[in-house]
Amino acid sequence: MRLINTLRKHKVPYLFILPFFILFSIFQLYPIVWTVWVSLTKWNGIKQPVFIGLNNYNLLLNDYMFTDAFFNTVVYWVTGVIFIIILSLGIASLLNYNNLKGKGFFKVVTFLPNVSAAIAIGIIFSMLFDKNIGIINEVISLFGINKIGWLTTVKYSKIPVIILNIWRNTPWFTLIILSGLLNIPEEYYEAARIDGANKIQQFFKITLPNLTDILFFCFIILTVNSWKIFNESYILKGPSTSNMSLFQYMYQSGFTAFKMGYASAIGVVLIIILAIVSVVQFILMRKNSEI
Amino acid sequence: MGYIKARKGNIIVYILLGVITFISLFPIIWMCIIAFKGTGESISGFNSLWINNPTLKNFKNVFEVIPILSSLYNSIFTTVMGTITTLFFCSLAGYGFAKYQFPGRDFLFYFIVATLLVPPEVGSIPLFIIMRRLHLINSLWSVIIPKAATAIGIFYMRQYIINIPTEVIESARIDGSSEFGIYLKIIVPMIKPALATWTLLTVIARWNDFFWPLIFLRSTVKHTLMVSISLLPVSDGLSTPWPVIMAGTTFAIIPVVVVYIFLQRFLKSGISAGAVKG
């Protein structure tokens, strides 16, 4: 009775959020929870699922394709975090440079990579990095380096994927960091200048400390995005598993090999990794802000 | 002295920004150059950097390689419907969260925000099963509906609506507006900048989406542009019809770049409001 009374009293807001919640629950929450259950079964998606406990996870541990994909994704994640954060900090500082003419133009143009489709750019990259006709090999041959089979050799095939990832994602983080830079009061810099601090000191004493929250936000988003890299490695295929991402392996197991349970186990591994990363980050963050 | 030093600094900044601009634009411009090259012209190495006899033939040939018209239609339909539905569901619920007091409000909201850390792609296998049971596989709605209610969308809308003065809503209520009428006639016009930003971001995301169309749209006539493009016959070396393929990718990139250039002025204020004030 009390529940019904509450619902009646607050009918309007509940009605406003209800359509959202119905869609969100059926198409986003429920599938994620269901994934955990599917990961404990053997299932081809058609017959009845058979409960097999943690067997899929056992299989994962002995599957070289899984460990390859896992390792590749770690490489994409680490390179992505390092390069994207450094580059976007640099580019944002440039765009924030005082009395710069054409700021608007540069902002619009440098954001374009983030607007263009990863799949299409991936195809363009596969031509740029082509061993025989690609312009990348032409450029490095000017420096006397032999032609490299970027997408045909195990050793190099991750590089185009890493570059595409950085190229496409840096602009978005530049925009976020730039908005953070604009929020730092100009007086801080004035005071530092009066105290005789140079540009580098200003950067480490004022800019970075004031950006901690935003850099933390960037790190989390970058981590989530990196662990679900799919388009880049799907389109820039290397030999065998040389650049396959974890998420791509999940897709392959589920939608081309129809091992639904196995694929779901990979999905659960992804959820666990992201949970650990965010908990660790959260703890570090708490510690930092206490100091 | 100081003046000269400042100018020197300026020049370095301009040079660096020039390099970044070049790197940002190069793949796109280069794609356009290749797309206009005739069959006889070399497309390899530095020869690919200029066009001697521009031709439109490649764009005609794309039609033979992939069903570009139906793909274009499917992409436009899913982008437009996907954007409209997201704007409606997220702004309506965002308004509910921003301007009403009700039991469970904070819990529900933070619960949604917490799910931001779990990519929905993780649940793609059950979602595929759900879509099959709803008979939506190979229906364009299968890529529209799941993205109509997103955690990030409701978060963004709430952040924006919370800044609207509550007095405006109260005076409309005193004037006898219905609650939904307030949303439609007061809130929607007031959050136009937020809607514009979110339109731009959603259009880019929907148009470029590849994973969901790839798993849900399995028949050729239902493919979106991105799926069709991914099926272009790319292989190693010269056997690949690169000019035709570049004409195909042009269809995928240029429309959304044009939309972006027209609407980008909404982006600066908008995206940062959602990301930073959180």
Side-chain angles (χ1 to χ4, degrees), chain A residues 100-168:
Chain A
L100 175 74
K101 282 203 183 88
K103 236 177 223 182
F105 167 80
F106 286 121
K107 276 186 203 165
V108 171
V109 168
T110 51
F111 196 69
L112 277 178
N114 198 252
V115 173
S116 20
I119 287 300
I121 297 291
I123 293 172
I124 297 171
F125 268 50
S126 64
M127 184 176 177
L128 280 171
F129 282 96
D130 190 276
K131 185 178 179 183
N132 298 309
I133 64 163
I135 208 161
I136 304 279
N137 273 345
E138 200 85 358
V139 172
I140 63 169
S141 73
L142 291 180
F143 300 95
I145 303 168
N146 282 336
K147 284 187 172 178
I148 293 172
W150 294 102
L151 288 162
T152 47
T153 48
V154 175
K155 203 171 153 193
Y156 295 108
S157 66
K158 272 190 277 293
I159 292 172
V161 178
I162 291 168
I163 295 178
L164 175 56
N165 182 35
I166 295 168
W167 185 82
R168 255 191 50 85

Side-chain angles (χ1 to χ4, degrees), chain A residues 14 45 101 115 130 133 167 247, chain B residues 14 23 45 103 121 132 149 208 237:
Chain A
Y14 283 125
K101 282 203 183 88
V115 173
D130 190 276
I133 64 163
W167 185 82
F247 200 73
Chain B
Y14 279 117
I23 294 172
E121 285 87 346
R132 209 171 52 197
N208 291 343

Side-chain angles (χ1 to χ4, degrees), chain A residues 10 30 36-37 51 55 77 82 98 106 112 129 145 153 162 167 177 204 211 216 225 258 261 265 268 270 290:
Chain A
H10 300 282
Y30 180 53
V36 180
W37 159 249
F51 184 82
N55 223 333
W77 175 43
I82 293 172
N98 291 337
F106 286 121
L112 277 178
F129 282 96
I145 303 168
T153 48
I162 291 168
W167 185 82
I177 291 175
F204 282 103
L211 282 180
F216 169 65
N225 287 350
F258 296 104
V268 173
L270 275 169
E290 271 164 23

Side-chain angles (χ1 to χ4, degrees), chain B residues 44-274:
Chain B
S44 72
F46 291 125
N47 294 326
S48 62
L49 289 176
W50 53 84
I51 332 169
N52 293 321
N53 308 299
T55 167
L56 287 169
K57 224 183 78 211
N58 300 317
F59 291 92
K60 246 172 67 192
N61 288 347
V62 176
F63 289 79
E64 289 153 25
V65 187
I66 53 172
I68 193 107
L69 278 185
S70 66
S71 304
L72 266 172
Y73 169 79
N74 295 338
S75 278
I76 293 170
F77 183 82
T78 50
T79 302
V80 171
M81 292 314 287
T83 306
I84 294 172
T85 50
T86 304
L87 289 180
F88 174 69
F89 289 115
C90 292
S91 67
L92 188 66
Y95 171 51
F97 276 115
K99 289 292 168 195
Y100 288 90
Q101 294 288 340
F102 55 90
R105 182 184 74 165
D106 293 345
F107 171 77
L108 288 174
F109 182 71
Y110 287 111
F111 180 71
I112 296 172
V113 173
T115 63
L116 271 175
L117 289 173
V118 186
E121 285 87 346
V122 167
S124 53
I125 284 158
L127 194 52
F128 179 79
I129 308 290
I130 293 172
M131 287 302 173
R132 209 171 52 197
R133 287 191 189 155
L134 293 171
H135 300 287
L136 285 175
I137 298 296
N138 281 329
S139 155
L140 295 177
W141 291 101
S142 63
V143 288
I144 296 168
I145 296 170
K147 291 276 175 174
T150 59
I152 185 89
I154 194 173
F155 178 73
Y156 179 79
M157 288 299 168
R158 177 185 169 272
Q159 293 304 104
Y160 200 91
I161 296 170
I162 223 163
N163 292 325
I164 291 176
T166 311
E167 298 86 59
V168 183
I169 299 160
E170 266 157 16
S171 66
R173 208 167 277 153
I174 292 163
D175 290 345
S177 264
S178 72
E179 296 293 324
F180 189 73
I182 293 174
Y183 161 76
L184 212 59
K185 292 194 191 108
I186 311 281
I187 300 297
V188 170
M190 286 187 83
I191 60 168
K192 263 187 199 153
L195 294 175
T197 311
W198 208 245
T199 301
L200 178 58
L201 293 175
T202 318
V203 164
I204 295 171
R206 300 289 80 217
W207 181 268
N208 291 343
D209 193 12
F210 175 64
F211 180 72
W212 297 106
L214 180 71
I215 59 173
F216 293 145
L217 306 172
R218 305 225 136 192
S219 78
T220 321
V221 285
K222 289 296 174 187
H223 282 169
T224 60
L225 202 50
M226 294 311 147
V227 181
S228 296
I229 296 285
S230 76
L231 298 173
L232 284 167
V234 176
S235 63
D236 199 35
L238 278 164
S239 56
T240 304
W242 284 113
V244 179
I245 287 169
M246 291 300 142
T249 52
T250 306
F251 280 109
I253 289 178
I254 298 304
V256 75
V257 165
V258 171
V259 170
Y260 163 72
I261 287 171
F262 273 108
L263 293 178
Q264 44 80 22
R265 63 205 152 95
F266 294 109
L267 200 65
K268 332 179 224 197
S269 52
I271 194 174
S272 45

Side-chain angles (χ1 to χ4, degrees), chain A residues 10-156:
Chain A
H10 300 282
K11 196 177 74 190
V12 174
Y14 283 125
L15 280 177
F16 279 0
I17 64 169
L18 190 66
F20 177 92
F21 262 92
I22 293 174
L23 288 171
F24 189 69
S25 310
I26 298 176
F27 296 106
Q28 301 213 23
L29 288 181
Y30 180 53
I32 288 168
V33 177
W34 195 1
T35 299
V36 180
W37 159 249
V38 177
S39 78
L40 304 173
T41 65
K42 189 179 161 71
W43 192 25
N44 65 2
I46 297 160
K47 285 189 202 155
Q48 277 300 99
V50 183
F51 184 82
I52 54 165
L54 294 174
N55 223 333
N56 284 325
Y57 295 92
N58 247 331
L59 290 172
L60 279 182
L61 291 177
N62 298 312
D63 178 355
Y64 82 95
M65 288 180 84
F66 173 77
T67 36
D68 280 3
F70 186 91
F71 171 72
N72 293 343
T73 312
V74 170
V75 172
Y76 299 147
W77 175 43
V78 174
T79 52
V81 167
I82 293 172
F83 286 106
I84 292 173
I85 290 197
I86 291 175
L87 282 173
S88 36
L89 250 175
I91 300 172
S93 310
L94 287 177
L95 289 172
N96 197 33
Y97 192 75
N98 291 337
N99 56 55
L100 175 74
K101 282 203 183 88
K103 236 177 223 182
F105 167 80
F106 286 121
K107 276 186 203 165
V108 171
V109 168
T110 51
F111 196 69
L112 277 178
N114 198 252
V115 173
S116 20
I119 287 300
I121 297 291
I123 293 172
I124 297 171
F125 268 50
S126 64
M127 184 176 177
L128 280 171
F129 282 96
D130 190 276
K131 185 178 179 183
N132 298 309
I133 64 163
I135 208 161
I136 304 279
N137 273 345
E138 200 85 358
V139 172
I140 63 169
S141 73
L142 291 180
F143 300 95
I145 303 168
N146 282 336
K147 284 187 172 178
I148 293 172
W150 294 102
L151 288 162
T152 47
T153 48
V154 175
K155 203 171 153 193
Y156 295 108

